[in-house]
Amino acid sequence: MSGWGCYGDAFGHAVGLGTLEKILLDGANGVTQAARVCGRLEPAALAIFSVAALAGLVLAYVRRRRAAGVWLIALLGISYVPGLVQLTLVRGDRPAVQRSLERDVAAARERYLAAIRQSLAGVPTSTCFSPTFDANCIIFTGIYLGADQALTHRRCIGGEPARVSVAVTACGVDHIAVDLVR
Amino acid sequence: MSRRLDLALAVAAFMLIVVAWTAPIVPYEYDAAGWWLPRVEIERARAGAVVGLLRSTATLPRLVPWLGVHRAPEGAPIVIGALARWLPGALPAARISALWTSVLLVAMLVAIRRRARDDDAVGFAALLGVLLCPFILVHLRAGYLDLSLGALAALFVMAIMDGLGKPARRWWQLRVLLFGSLLAQWKLEGALHAFTLMAAVTLCAERTPWRERLTVAAFAGIVVGVNLLVWQLLLWVLPPSPLPPSLFVWTHFRPSTLIPFGFQVLRHAIDFTTWGAVWPVVLGAALTERRWAALVACAFSLALFAVGYAAGPANMIEWAAQGIQLNRLLMQMLIAILPLVVLPAASTA
């Protein structure tokens, strides 16, 4: 266990990331990856936090409460600018690319499903399967995990012994390789 | 002020619905793990497999949050999955999930507005500001459970406050029952939020006699406790599974994790691209408005979760360090304490 460290950029730099992978990396754990790529308190973030805390206290304490409310909204609005710019213009899932992103994800899911179905063609549906992903595929497992539920075969769960395993390799939006490993 | 306030809240509600409506219809991030690092994924998959977090029809009853949904329609038979089946095909499950969350947030907004004083500009500024926070928008569009959990917690808080009010609002028991059950069954940490919020609200309702406070707290506690008991009974009744007897290992309690936990909480809370200035503003507003219950609720939640981290699986603090869990925990808390920041103390409501 290493409670103080952050490990986030190791994978991002190790693998050449396409748009889809970057989107998966952006994820829902922060507006940017910044929250998970540093192990120290960022001095700039700490300074902004302190100034905002001070301003919040002062503004909320002034007698003209309505004015304080307006100022609080203004303070929050200004502080949201970096995050909103990131969401609307920078992030991989920004609105401008949403449609093409959805098409890419749907295509990746379909390609995965087709490959898995083909590899499990001779396997009884009562047999659960256990997929193994190589380093290039781990980033796609979120998409694949959801897609699995459309299969007639199911993934093995918990400590359930897997009699059939599939090796998923060379993942991408337009290519995938799945091999049955008994 | 009243009309302008109503207009501002209506615009906020409309915006929430629009943001949810335009959410991606193809779920592209099924689970919430950190896909950026194989090690995290493997660790999470291992722990997830152990406790049955890989959701399927077979594993769902074995989870505490058996009512919840985690993006995939097939894994959500109770609420989102059912809605996805009943509603026309133009509404895919991912969008339903986002809309469901936005509806809960709007319900929270309406409930707060009905109880608040018109002149509480600071409280409403905090309320509107929180709902526009970039991180909230991310989760709303992703349709994740955490935001809906926060909204449910806020509705639960208001039901308890109604029970403590003078005179108590009608049907508060029914609402405690409804929102308490949903909260406990929605996600693993829901029960923890329920207990900490219940304790904070009743503890800080200074003008309500202790006897009444204890009555309300006992009722809410029983509601949440019974829900957890039902889940445990389900585990007993179901066929044997590879589930461990307990996820948390109290014999391996590690106080040393408390320091990194506190450090990571601070590190995530000051990430201004994610949060903007929402944390200092909300805490500042709570402090200057003397909304002690909000501050106590935050302290209780963080303390309880810190203990959970110290006794939980060893990789939990590692997940926390990478923002897999703490950002969401902070978001749940932020939404849950909103009524306590905006509304006056329970006994004067």
Side-chain angles (χ1 to χ4, degrees):
Chain A
M1 187 195 74
S2 173
W4 293 86
C6 289
Y7 320 90
D9 56 354
F11 185 57
H13 291 308
V15 180
L17 299 178
T19 305
L20 184 58
E21 292 92 330
K22 281 179 184 168
I23 290 155
L24 293 169
L25 285 172
D26 278 334
N29 294 303
V31 174
T32 64
Q33 293 177 60
R36 53 182 188 262
V37 295
C38 64
R40 296 179 305 169
L41 291 178
E42 287 295 316
L46 197 56
I48 290 173
F49 185 89
S50 306
V51 169
L54 190 64
L57 281 171
V58 170
L59 290 172
Y61 206 69
V62 296
R63 281 177 175 273
R64 295 179 61 194
R65 308 183 61 75
R66 191 172 299 180
V70 172
W71 278 105
L72 279 178
I73 283 280
L75 177 68
L76 279 174
I78 292 167
S79 74
Y80 289 163
V81 168
L84 293 176
V85 167
Q86 182 76 19
L87 287 184
T88 53
L89 300 174
V90 181
R91 258 179 75 117
D93 60 349
R94 59 192 180 277
V97 298
Q98 183 173 315
R99 284 296 164 89
S100 63
L101 169 63
E102 288 174 345
R103 279 197 299 271
D104 284 352
V105 173
R109 286 181 65 152
E110 287 307 316
R111 200 169 294 278
Y112 167 79
L113 283 173
I116 289 279
R117 282 192 185 111
Q118 191 176 3
S119 68
L120 293 175
V123 178
T125 52
S126 57
T127 306
C128 69
F129 72 97
S130 174
T132 56
F133 300 97
D134 75 1
N136 290 315
C137 293
I138 290 216
I139 204 166
F140 284 92
T141 54
I143 295 173
Y144 298 160
L145 186 62
D148 274 344
Q149 304 195 42
L151 293 167
T152 49
H153 293 78
R154 64 176 178 83
R155 266 198 198 196
C156 303
I157 53 168
E160 193 176 4
R163 292 204 308 230
V164 172
S165 177
V166 289
V168 185
T169 55
C171 299
V173 174
D174 54 359
H175 58 275
I176 188 170
V178 178
D179 297 305
L180 181 65
V181 184
R182 286 187 183 269
Chain B
M1 179 65 183
S2 179
R3 283 188 63 186
R4 271 188 294 179
L5 192 59
D6 286 339
L7 185 65
L9 293 176
V11 169
F14 179 72
M15 192 207 72
L16 289 172
I17 300 287
V18 168
V19 168
W21 185 265
T22 58
I25 56 171
V26 179
Y28 49 76
E29 195 195 4
Y30 171 73
D31 209 337
W35 310 120
W36 59 92
L37 188 67
R39 186 169 152 213
V40 177
E41 164 56 16
I42 291 163
E43 286 293 304
R44 185 183 174 96
R46 189 180 300 141
V50 169
V51 298
L53 284 175
L54 300 180
R55 292 168 191 233
S56 70
T57 317
T59 59
L60 236 127
R62 298 174 187 177
L63 304 172
V64 173
W66 60 284
L67 282 177
V69 56
H70 221 134
R71 300 303 305 271
E74 299 85 354
I78 309 295
V79 178
I80 306 301
L83 286 173
R85 281 192 293 273
W86 294 334
L87 293 172
L91 277 173
R95 190 164 284 170
I96 291 173
S97 186
L99 284 169
W100 166 262
T101 303
S102 68
V103 166
L104 285 176
L105 287 172
V106 171
M108 178 194 79
L109 207 58
V110 170
I112 290 177
R113 177 66 188 99
R114 287 184 63 190
R115 288 162 175 79
R117 293 194 312 251
D118 283 348
D119 62 345
D120 193 356
V122 174
F124 279 111
L127 175 66
L128 289 171
V130 166
L131 292 177
L132 295 172
C133 175
F135 196 40
I136 304 284
L137 299 181
V138 167
H139 272 252
L140 182 56
R141 283 172 62 80
Y144 271 46
L145 280 179
D146 308 86
L147 195 51
S148 52
L149 189 81
L152 284 171
L155 291 165
F156 177 69
V157 163
M158 281 184 275
I160 292 180
M161 291 172 82
D162 287 348
L164 293 167
K166 284 189 175 307
R169 281 176 186 258
R170 293 176 66 191
W171 306 112
W172 69 268
Q173 296 97 333
L174 193 63
R175 279 177 284 126
V176 167
L177 184 65
L178 174 66
F179 295 124
S181 299
L182 282 173
L183 195 56
Q185 300 287 2
W186 206 248
K187 202 163 185 268
L188 192 61
E189 56 267 41
L192 296 178
H193 283 304
F195 282 121
T196 53
L197 289 165
M198 173 198 72
V201 174
T202 51
L203 196 67
C204 297
E206 293 170 348
R207 295 180 192 173
T208 306
W210 270 109
R211 187 187 174 86
E212 290 176 30
R213 282 197 251 176
L214 289 174
T215 305
V216 173
F219 181 74
I222 288 170
V223 165
V224 179
V226 165
N227 272 285
L228 293 178
L229 194 63
V230 167
W231 174 62
Q232 284 297 318
L233 288 174
L234 263 179
L235 290 184
W236 267 43
V237 172
L238 286 170
S241 73
L243 280 172
S246 173
L247 173 60
F248 294 92
V249 188
W250 299 104
T251 51
H252 297 162
F253 188 75
R254 308 178 305 276
S256 59
T257 61
L258 298 178
I259 295 171
F261 175 82
F263 169 77
Q264 296 299 347
V265 168
L266 178 62
R267 192 169 68 80
H268 286 291
I270 66 172
D271 173 27
F272 61 85
T273 311
T274 294
W275 295 108
V278 75
W279 275 107
V281 165
V282 166
L283 293 178
L287 203 61
T288 51
E289 297 292 300
R290 299 172 191 276
R291 302 289 156 79
W292 307 126
L295 300 171
V296 171
C298 282
F300 279 179
S301 279
L302 288 176
L304 200 59
F305 279 95
V307 171
Y309 272 77
N315 51 17
M316 273 179 71
I317 199 76
E318 199 165 330
W319 295 348
Q322 295 167 62
I324 298 174
Q325 294 178 318
L326 282 185
N327 261 356
R328 297 158 196 230
L329 173 61
L330 289 171
M331 190 181 64
Q332 292 165 11
M333 275 173 38
L334 183 67
I335 301 292
I337 64 169
L338 271 182
L340 299 173
V341 175
V342 180
L343 300 175
S347 57
T348 57

